[in-house]
Amino acid sequence: MRITGYRTMTTVQEWGRPVGDVNGVFADGAVPVPLVLVDTDEGITGVGLGPHVEIETVFAAIEGEDPRGVTALYDRMLRRTFKAGHAGAVFGTIGALDTALWDIKAQAAGEPLWRLLGGRDRGVPAYASGLDIGLTDDELVAVYQIYAQYGLRAAKIKGGLDIERDRRRLTLVRDVLTEAGRGARPGLMLDVNEAWTRKQAVRHVCELERTLDLTWIEEPVRRWDAEGLATVGRGIRASVATGENLTGLEQFRPLLAAGAVDIVQTAAVWGVSHFLRASALAHAHDLPVSPIGNTPVALLHAATSVPNHLASELQDLQPPLGLSLDLRIEGGTFILGDSPGLGVTVDERAINAFRRPAAGPADGPHIRPEDAGRRLLAVADHSSPTRSPG
């Protein structure tokens, strides 16, 4: 089997309500979702979710290769971009191609990826994450009541701008989940997306902890500030979760050396191989891992095979336009199916027929909403032609 080409397209996640975080809000709830499809000479196509930045350069590292050698091909892609650097969106391109190769490998074996990777249990614990900073209190309650109907008993809200607003909204979500869980204490997390200084983080979280029990505070300060993250961790009761925006295994080393992270996160867009390696590194430090992303299906498969998975993020309950996923949500858990590969089906006709707001360049798991234009462009405008060897 040989890799013969790739195709790119961009679909959209239609939330039907405002979504965002402290950095900005998509008022119309339409969030671009870039895709990469990798083709082979045996008619098997793999799907990866992630950006297309510099894909010509990255794809050259795997063109004509056997996709089943995915681990070695992942390293080839890293080496191909080493001089210029593989950080940022380029790392997402590598991750999207890597995910597509894992999809092909599992399809060729006739097994779901979770089984191919050595998973025993198809269930993956989930927590609710509504990207909800733009919602009113009543809208917030309504959203988490729906999550609760699917058995979710842990939730992460967006915040960081106002202590009392965060306290009120965390309390509202806590009460929704407590009632649904018949009095059982829910897990509560707050994500501030790197918005604070060290002093602000300690003050804000300590004030919240006067009345609330937080499971973790996510990205309280900048992702690279190992000393700052460690300072925050020493000053609060909650765990510090970070890592989703780190683009390379080497970027975790200073955080781990400083004792700066309690829960290691990786983004779905960075791919399966990165998650597996980051999980092994975290496990060596007795730390849990938690994948994030709106459609983290590939990392859900991978999570079944690592011993230190804690919980995975569940954002929208519906998949992006034109995608169908062989999984369901039941009892607060992602239940993976038996379809070979990732279990992702792409309706290219539906995606290419849809017209959506154009977006600026993707720079990882969070696209800055203020950079997303509102010009209407066809999704197909962002597609690249299929390439063939030679």
Side-chain angles (χ1 to χ4, degrees):
M1 183 187 300
R2 298 293 167 185
I3 298 167
T4 58
Y6 71 88
R7 288 164 286 148
T8 66
M9 59 187 64
T10 300
T11 185
V12 66
Q13 185 75 46
E14 296 185 282
W15 287 75
R17 61 172 176 84
V19 292
D21 57 34
V22 69
N23 298 293
V25 174
F26 287 92
D28 61 3
V31 181
V33 180
L35 306 173
V36 176
L37 282 69
V38 176
D39 297 318
T40 68
D41 61 357
E42 295 190 12
I44 298 176
T45 296
V47 181
L49 281 74
H52 318 145
V53 176
E54 296 187 29
I55 192 167
E56 290 278 341
T57 298
V58 178
F59 183 76
I62 63 172
E63 188 172 15
E65 296 286 334
D66 188 329
R68 293 168 294 188
V70 55
T71 302
L73 295 181
Y74 179 72
D75 288 317
R76 281 178 63 89
M77 290 188 284
L78 291 178
R79 287 196 297 272
R80 178 60 64 101
T81 57
F82 174 75
K83 285 288 188 180
H86 58 244
V90 173
F91 197 64
T93 300
I94 294 171
L97 290 168
D98 172 73
T99 296
L101 297 184
W102 280 108
D103 188 18
I104 293 169
K105 184 180 177 75
Q107 288 185 61
E111 293 186 323
L113 182 58
W114 66 267
R115 181 69 76 188
L116 181 77
L117 290 171
R120 176 177 176 271
D121 188 346
R122 70 180 69 230
V124 180
Y127 68 87
S129 178
L131 308 186
D132 43 48
I133 201 166
L135 302 183
T136 66
D137 289 355
D138 288 344
E139 291 168 338
L140 182 79
V141 168
V143 163
Y144 282 92
Q145 285 174 335
I146 294 172
Y147 284 127
Q149 292 172 10
Y150 287 84
L152 277 296
R153 298 295 181 262
K156 180 176 77 181
I157 75 165
K158 297 290 189 178
L161 296 175
D162 180 85
I163 291 175
E164 292 310 318
R165 184 174 192 263
D166 288 345
R167 188 197 309 279
R168 183 178 70 252
R169 291 162 72 83
L170 283 163
T171 301
L172 288 170
V173 172
R174 180 198 64 188
D175 291 348
V176 167
L177 299 183
T178 300
E179 181 179 358
R182 300 182 178 181
R185 179 183 293 186
L188 292 177
M189 295 82 84
L190 178 65
D191 186 0
V192 302
N193 296 98
E194 307 183 28
W196 292 333
T197 66
R198 305 174 190 185
K199 291 278 191 178
Q200 289 172 330
V202 173
R203 176 176 176 271
H204 199 118
V205 176
C206 283
E207 181 62 27
L208 292 176
E209 288 182 328
R210 290 177 56 244
T211 56
L212 292 164
D213 181 21
L214 291 181
T215 302
W216 77 59
I217 179 70
E218 187 165 321
E219 293 190 319
V221 298
R222 294 298 189 184
R223 71 200 73 166
W224 53 77
D225 186 3
E227 182 181 346
L229 288 163
T231 298
V232 173
R234 289 191 295 267
I236 64 176
R237 295 199 310 268
S239 295
V240 172
T242 192
E244 69 181 78
N245 286 306
L246 298 181
T247 52
L249 202 61
E250 69 283 352
Q251 295 181 15
F252 286 94
R253 287 205 302 260
L255 274 64
L256 294 169
V261 55
D262 301 304
I263 297 168
V264 173
Q265 296 178 308
T266 70
V269 71
W270 307 143
V272 173
S273 293
H274 173 72
F275 171 78
L276 293 173
R277 293 179 182 188
S279 297
L281 181 61
H283 188 47
H285 289 79
D286 295 319
L287 296 174
V289 292
S290 180
I292 72 99
N294 182 50
T295 312
V297 57
L299 299 198
L300 300 179
H301 284 267
T304 67
S305 70
V306 301
N308 53 333
H309 174 261
L310 180 63
S312 290
E313 184 174 42
L314 169 60
Q315 293 185 6
D316 201 350
L317 290 161
Q318 301 299 321
L321 175 76
L323 299 187
S324 61
L325 311 178
D326 186 12
L327 63 81
R328 67 184 190 277
I329 310 300
E330 183 179 290
T333 301
F334 293 99
I335 308 295
L336 296 165
D338 288 317
S339 297
L342 295 177
V344 176
T345 303
V346 180
D347 185 341
E348 297 184 47
R349 180 174 298 179
I351 293 173
N352 288 329
F354 184 75
R355 297 179 68 84
R356 63 171 179 83
D363 57 357
H366 296 293
I367 303 169
R368 301 301 184 195
E370 60 268 27
D371 292 335
R374 289 296 179 258
R375 303 179 308 276
L376 289 177
L377 294 176
V379 172
D381 289 347
H382 291 272
S383 299
S384 300
T386 301
R387 299 187 62 211
S388 299

